[in-house]
Tab-separated table of all heavy atoms in Angstrom:
chain	number	residue	atom	x	y	z
A	1211	MET	N	-9.534	7.855	14.293
A	1211	MET	CA	-8.338	7.382	13.609
A	1211	MET	C	-7.095	7.617	14.465
A	1211	MET	O	-6.223	6.748	14.552
A	1211	MET	CB	-8.178	8.074	12.256
A	1211	MET	CG	-6.984	7.586	11.454
A	1211	MET	SD	-6.730	8.522	9.938
A	1211	MET	CE	-6.343	10.144	10.615
A	1212	LEU	N	-7.004	8.782	15.095
A	1212	LEU	CA	-5.858	9.050	15.976
A	1212	LEU	C	-5.804	8.032	17.112
A	1212	LEU	O	-4.725	7.522	17.442
A	1212	LEU	CB	-5.913	10.472	16.520
A	1212	LEU	CG	-5.656	11.604	15.529
A	1212	LEU	CD1	-5.734	12.952	16.237
A	1212	LEU	CD2	-4.326	11.445	14.813
A	1213	VAL	N	-6.953	7.716	17.701
A	1213	VAL	CA	-7.001	6.718	18.777
A	1213	VAL	C	-6.589	5.354	18.227
A	1213	VAL	O	-5.787	4.645	18.836
A	1213	VAL	CB	-8.410	6.665	19.418
A	1213	VAL	CG1	-8.558	5.471	20.342
A	1213	VAL	CG2	-8.706	7.966	20.163
A	1214	TYR	N	-7.120	4.990	17.057
A	1214	TYR	CA	-6.808	3.708	16.432
A	1214	TYR	C	-5.305	3.571	16.188
A	1214	TYR	O	-4.729	2.496	16.398
A	1214	TYR	CB	-7.580	3.583	15.114
A	1214	TYR	CG	-7.240	2.384	14.291
A	1214	TYR	CD1	-7.675	1.113	14.663
A	1214	TYR	CD2	-6.474	2.505	13.137
A	1214	TYR	CE1	-7.354	-0.002	13.900
A	1214	TYR	CE2	-6.149	1.386	12.371
A	1214	TYR	CZ	-6.588	0.144	12.757
A	1214	TYR	OH	-6.264	-0.952	12.009
A	1215	LEU	N	-4.669	4.657	15.763
A	1215	LEU	CA	-3.228	4.644	15.487
A	1215	LEU	C	-2.386	4.928	16.724
A	1215	LEU	O	-1.160	4.973	16.644
A	1215	LEU	CB	-2.895	5.665	14.386
A	1215	LEU	CG	-3.489	5.380	13.014
A	1215	LEU	CD1	-3.224	6.546	12.065
A	1215	LEU	CD2	-2.962	4.071	12.444
A	1216	ASP	N	-3.061	5.138	17.864
A	1216	ASP	CA	-2.391	5.445	19.132
A	1216	ASP	C	-1.542	6.709	19.021
A	1216	ASP	O	-0.378	6.737	19.426
A	1216	ASP	CB	-1.549	4.255	19.596
A	1216	ASP	CG	-1.201	4.327	21.074
A	1216	ASP	OD1	-1.925	5.016	21.827
A	1216	ASP	OD2	-0.191	3.714	21.491
A	1217	LEU	N	-2.148	7.738	18.430
A	1217	LEU	CA	-1.487	9.030	18.256
A	1217	LEU	C	-2.193	10.099	19.078
A	1217	LEU	O	-3.422	10.123	19.154
A	1217	LEU	CB	-1.544	9.471	16.788
A	1217	LEU	CG	-0.838	8.629	15.750
A	1217	LEU	CD1	-1.193	9.131	14.351
A	1217	LEU	CD2	0.655	8.671	15.962
A	1218	GLU	N	-1.406	10.985	19.648
A	1218	GLU	CA	-1.990	12.175	20.262
A	1218	GLU	C	-2.037	13.311	19.257
A	1218	GLU	O	-2.878	14.196	19.355
A	1218	GLU	CB	-1.201	12.566	21.510
A	1218	GLU	CG	-1.390	11.578	22.650
A	1218	GLU	CD	-0.712	12.022	23.927
A	1218	GLU	OE1	-0.502	13.232	24.123
A	1218	GLU	OE2	-0.398	11.127	24.731
A	1219	SER	N	-1.101	13.285	18.309
A	1219	SER	CA	-1.075	14.299	17.257
A	1219	SER	C	-0.433	13.684	16.012
A	1219	SER	O	0.313	12.706	16.106
A	1219	SER	CB	-0.292	15.533	17.706
A	1219	SER	OG	1.087	15.244	17.761
A	1220	PRO	N	-0.696	14.263	14.841
A	1220	PRO	CA	-0.119	13.735	13.600
A	1220	PRO	C	1.408	13.769	13.562
A	1220	PRO	O	2.023	12.979	12.845
A	1220	PRO	CB	-0.700	14.657	12.523
A	1220	PRO	CG	-1.943	15.188	13.113
A	1220	PRO	CD	-1.661	15.318	14.582
A	1221	GLU	N	2.013	14.642	14.336
A	1221	GLU	CA	3.469	14.722	14.375
A	1221	GLU	C	4.089	13.414	14.886
A	1221	GLU	O	5.267	13.154	14.655
A	1221	GLU	CB	3.943	15.893	15.241
A	1221	GLU	CG	3.614	17.256	14.671
A	1221	GLU	CD	2.179	17.711	14.975
A	1221	GLU	OE1	1.516	17.153	15.878
A	1221	GLU	OE2	1.724	18.634	14.277
A	1222	GLU	N	3.309	12.588	15.588
A	1222	GLU	CA	3.790	11.314	16.118
A	1222	GLU	C	3.701	10.179	15.092
A	1222	GLU	O	4.106	9.058	15.378
A	1222	GLU	CB	2.985	10.927	17.363
A	1222	GLU	CG	3.149	11.889	18.514
A	1222	GLU	CD	2.238	11.554	19.684
A	1222	GLU	OE1	1.299	10.737	19.520
A	1222	GLU	OE2	2.464	12.102	20.769
A	1223	PHE	N	3.185	10.469	13.908
A	1223	PHE	CA	3.050	9.460	12.857
A	1223	PHE	C	4.424	9.199	12.253
A	1223	PHE	O	4.843	9.860	11.304
A	1223	PHE	CB	2.057	9.964	11.797
A	1223	PHE	CG	1.683	8.936	10.771
A	1223	PHE	CD1	0.833	7.896	11.087
A	1223	PHE	CD2	2.172	9.020	9.477
A	1223	PHE	CE1	0.475	6.946	10.133
A	1223	PHE	CE2	1.818	8.084	8.512
A	1223	PHE	CZ	0.977	7.042	8.849
A	1224	ARG	N	5.144	8.224	12.841
A	1224	ARG	CA	6.516	7.997	12.390
A	1224	ARG	C	6.979	6.541	12.504
A	1224	ARG	O	8.161	6.266	12.359
A	1224	ARG	CB	7.473	8.923	13.134
A	1224	ARG	CG	7.486	8.762	14.621
A	1224	ARG	CD	8.461	9.739	15.288
A	1224	ARG	NE	8.405	9.606	16.723
A	1224	ARG	CZ	7.688	10.376	17.525
A	1224	ARG	NH1	6.978	11.357	17.039
A	1224	ARG	NH2	7.696	10.172	18.817
A	1225	PHE	N	6.056	5.630	12.753
A	1225	PHE	CA	6.444	4.233	12.894
A	1225	PHE	C	5.802	3.376	11.812
A	1225	PHE	O	4.654	3.584	11.431
A	1225	PHE	CB	6.079	3.697	14.279
A	1225	PHE	CG	6.809	4.395	15.394
A	1225	PHE	CD1	6.137	5.281	16.227
A	1225	PHE	CD2	8.168	4.189	15.592
A	1225	PHE	CE1	6.804	5.936	17.242
A	1225	PHE	CE2	8.841	4.845	16.606
A	1225	PHE	CZ	8.157	5.727	17.435
A	1226	PHE	N	6.555	2.387	11.355
A	1226	PHE	CA	6.115	1.482	10.302
A	1226	PHE	C	4.724	0.901	10.609
A	1226	PHE	O	3.865	0.833	9.738
A	1226	PHE	CB	7.129	0.345	10.145
A	1226	PHE	CG	6.710	-0.696	9.156
A	1226	PHE	CD1	7.005	-0.547	7.814
A	1226	PHE	CD2	6.015	-1.826	9.567
A	1226	PHE	CE1	6.612	-1.508	6.890
A	1226	PHE	CE2	5.616	-2.791	8.652
A	1226	PHE	CZ	5.912	-2.628	7.309
A	1227	GLU	N	4.519	0.475	11.849
A	1227	GLU	CA	3.261	-0.165	12.228
A	1227	GLU	C	2.081	0.778	12.034
A	1227	GLU	O	0.973	0.326	11.725
A	1227	GLU	CB	3.313	-0.652	13.677
A	1227	GLU	CG	4.293	-1.782	13.916
A	1227	GLU	CD	5.750	-1.329	14.011
A	1227	GLU	OE1	6.009	-0.098	14.146
A	1227	GLU	OE2	6.635	-2.189	13.913
A	1228	MET	N	2.298	2.047	12.212
A	1228	MET	CA	1.219	3.016	12.033
A	1228	MET	C	0.797	3.081	10.570
A	1228	MET	O	-0.389	3.108	10.256
A	1228	MET	CB	1.645	4.397	12.538
A	1228	MET	CG	1.850	4.458	14.021
A	1228	MET	SD	2.546	6.054	14.509
A	1228	MET	CE	2.592	5.849	16.280
A	1229	MET	N	1.777	3.105	9.668
A	1229	MET	CA	1.461	3.115	8.244
A	1229	MET	C	0.772	1.813	7.852
A	1229	MET	O	-0.230	1.818	7.138
A	1229	MET	CB	2.721	3.327	7.403
A	1229	MET	CG	2.472	3.358	5.900
A	1229	MET	SD	1.379	4.686	5.336
A	1229	MET	CE	2.511	6.089	5.391
A	1230	ALA	N	1.288	0.696	8.330
A	1230	ALA	CA	0.682	-0.602	8.020
A	1230	ALA	C	-0.749	-0.663	8.546
A	1230	ALA	O	-1.653	-1.116	7.838
A	1230	ALA	CB	1.525	-1.732	8.611
A	1231	ASP	N	-0.965	-0.201	9.764
A	1231	ASP	CA	-2.323	-0.203	10.328
A	1231	ASP	C	-3.260	0.678	9.517
A	1231	ASP	O	-4.422	0.317	9.307
A	1231	ASP	CB	-2.316	0.273	11.782
A	1231	ASP	CG	-1.731	-0.759	12.736
A	1231	ASP	OD1	-1.558	-1.932	12.331
A	1231	ASP	OD2	-1.440	-0.386	13.891
A	1232	LEU	N	-2.780	1.812	9.065
A	1232	LEU	CA	-3.606	2.729	8.284
A	1232	LEU	C	-3.976	2.102	6.933
A	1232	LEU	O	-5.137	2.139	6.518
A	1232	LEU	CB	-2.866	4.049	8.078
A	1232	LEU	CG	-3.654	5.190	7.453
A	1232	LEU	CD1	-4.847	5.580	8.319
A	1232	LEU	CD2	-2.746	6.397	7.249
A	1233	ILE	N	-3.021	1.506	6.268
A	1233	ILE	CA	-3.274	0.903	4.957
A	1233	ILE	C	-4.142	-0.344	5.084
A	1233	ILE	O	-5.066	-0.552	4.299
A	1233	ILE	CB	-1.951	0.561	4.241
A	1233	ILE	CG1	-1.227	1.841	3.837
A	1233	ILE	CG2	-2.194	-0.329	3.019
A	1233	ILE	CD1	0.184	1.642	3.300
A	1234	GLU	N	-3.879	-1.160	6.081
A	1234	GLU	CA	-4.504	-2.471	6.174
A	1234	GLU	C	-5.759	-2.517	7.036
A	1234	GLU	O	-6.357	-3.578	7.188
A	1234	GLU	CB	-3.473	-3.480	6.693
A	1234	GLU	CG	-2.293	-3.620	5.758
A	1234	GLU	CD	-1.165	-4.476	6.308
A	1234	GLU	OE1	-1.309	-5.022	7.435
A	1234	GLU	OE2	-0.140	-4.606	5.617
A	1235	SER	N	-6.170	-1.393	7.576
A	1235	SER	CA	-7.339	-1.363	8.449
A	1235	SER	C	-8.588	-1.881	7.748
A	1235	SER	O	-8.845	-1.570	6.588
A	1235	SER	CB	-7.591	0.075	8.934
A	1235	SER	OG	-8.805	0.129	9.658
A	1236	GLU	N	-9.367	-2.648	8.473
A	1236	GLU	CA	-10.649	-3.145	7.968
A	1236	GLU	C	-11.718	-2.059	8.062
A	1236	GLU	O	-12.778	-2.175	7.467
A	1236	GLU	CB	-11.095	-4.369	8.778
A	1236	GLU	CG	-10.161	-5.561	8.672
A	1236	GLU	CD	-10.410	-6.389	7.433
A	1236	GLU	OE1	-11.536	-6.355	6.903
A	1236	GLU	OE2	-9.474	-7.082	6.996
A	1237	GLU	N	-11.443	-1.031	8.823
A	1237	GLU	CA	-12.406	0.049	9.045
A	1237	GLU	C	-12.430	1.014	7.869
A	1237	GLU	O	-11.411	1.256	7.230
A	1237	GLU	CB	-12.038	0.830	10.312
A	1237	GLU	CG	-12.022	0.009	11.578
A	1237	GLU	CD	-13.402	-0.415	12.011
A	1237	GLU	OE1	-14.357	0.384	11.858
A	1237	GLU	OE2	-13.531	-1.541	12.516
Side-chain angles (χ1 to χ4, degrees):
M1211 183 185 65
L1212 290 181
V1213 169
Y1214 174 74
L1215 295 173
D1216 198 23
L1217 297 172
E1218 290 185 25
S1219 72
E1221 293 82 17
E1222 296 174 347
F1223 188 74
R1224 60 181 177 263
F1225 297 107
F1226 176 87
E1227 293 78 13
M1228 293 173 177
M1229 180 61 77
D1231 287 347
L1232 188 61
I1233 291 172
E1234 298 173 2
S1235 174
E1236 297 277 336
E1237 300 290 323

